[in-house]
Amino acid sequence: MTAREALQAQLERGIAALGATLPDEAVDRLLDYRELLERWNSAYNLTAVRNADEMVSRHLLDSLAILPYVHGRSLADLGTGPGLPGIPLAIAEPAREVLMVDSNGKKVRFLREAIRSLKLVNAKALQSRVEDVEGTFECVTARAFASLADMLGWGGHLLAPDGVWLAMKGKHPAEELDGVPEGFRVEAIHALGVPGVDGERHLVVIRRA
């Protein structure tokens, strides 16, 4: 079995464990994305995760774990870094328009190359501070980006009236809940099980009050 075949088996097992259904070519594209990330990472230091197995679990499967909670036809991924969870979500649902936002030029250059080489016609990358982004989105995602107070303070204007904000966290963010700004409410906090990932993962679901 080649190294890629082993990673494919790991990824497919994880997708099955999550109960996710992806388009036909999604697994290949996810693996292509991982290879591209690994290649660029040596020069650009895009992620601290360097082990191939861990990239599958801690990047790809971690991103796909929130799929059941993603709604709407437009999504903004704030502080996306090298495209997490934005690129896996764009691959998983080609009909959804995904805008990935980061202020780091190196990361946005990588994102544009990933979008081009993976032929992600539904994805765009924007180099910007979150507070300067315009428009509204039916879903907003943010992974380990900032406190709930800061992320909503900077980016709350991007959430459509009936939209859903998905904040990806490690441990339960109990101490952050009092900081949720007026006009927003925490609808639910889900503990996530990510195949191959030890430690806590939580998803905070926020809507307009």
Side-chain angles (χ1 to χ4, degrees), residues 85-104:
I87 283 184
L89 295 179
I91 290 171
E93 179 47 86
R96 181 178 290 119
E97 297 293 326
V98 175
L99 177 69
M100 292 172 281
V101 180
D102 205 280
S103 60
N104 183 301

Side-chain angles (χ1 to χ4, degrees), residues 157-176:
H157 64 286
L158 298 172
L159 187 62
D162 296 322
V164 60
W165 186 295
L166 303 176
M168 301 170 73
K169 294 282 183 179
K171 62 185 180 62
H172 191 292
E175 70 285 353
E176 295 183 31

Side-chain angles (χ1 to χ4, degrees), residues 137-152:
F137 300 83
E138 291 173 68
C139 189
V140 177
T141 53
R143 180 186 193 240
F145 164 55
S147 69
L148 297 178
D150 283 345
M151 65 173 69
L152 289 164

Side-chain angles (χ1 to χ4, degrees), residues 70-83:
V70 178
H71 299 291
R73 308 316 282 173
S74 58
L75 182 147
D77 183 29
L78 308 182
T80 188

Side-chain angles (χ1 to χ4, degrees), residues 38-46 106:
E38 185 175 59
R39 210 158 54 239
W40 275 61
N41 203 40
S42 55
Y44 282 79
N45 200 26
L46 301 170
K106 286 192 302 187

Side-chain angles (χ1 to χ4, degrees), residues 11-51:
L11 179 56
E12 287 174 343
R13 282 195 307 273
I15 291 168
L18 291 171
T21 304
L22 303 186
D24 287 345
E25 294 179 3
V27 167
D28 271 338
R29 292 171 105 182
L30 287 165
L31 293 171
D32 289 346
Y33 165 62
R34 192 214 64 79
E35 285 178 12
L36 195 64
L37 180 55
E38 185 175 59
R39 210 158 54 239
W40 275 61
N41 203 40
S42 55
Y44 282 79
N45 200 26
L46 301 170
T47 169
V49 178
R50 299 188 179 277
N51 176 283

Side-chain angles (χ1 to χ4, degrees), residues 46 76-85 99-112 124-133 141-145 158:
L46 301 170
D77 183 29
L78 308 182
T80 188
L84 299 162
L99 177 69
M100 292 172 281
V101 180
D102 205 280
S103 60
N104 183 301
K106 286 192 302 187
K107 290 176 180 172
V108 173
R109 277 199 294 282
F110 167 74
L111 287 173
R112 289 181 176 143
K124 291 194 178 97
L126 176 66
Q127 184 180 349
S128 173
R129 299 187 314 159
V130 167
E131 49 267 53
D132 297 333
V133 181
T141 53
R143 180 186 193 240
F145 164 55
L158 298 172

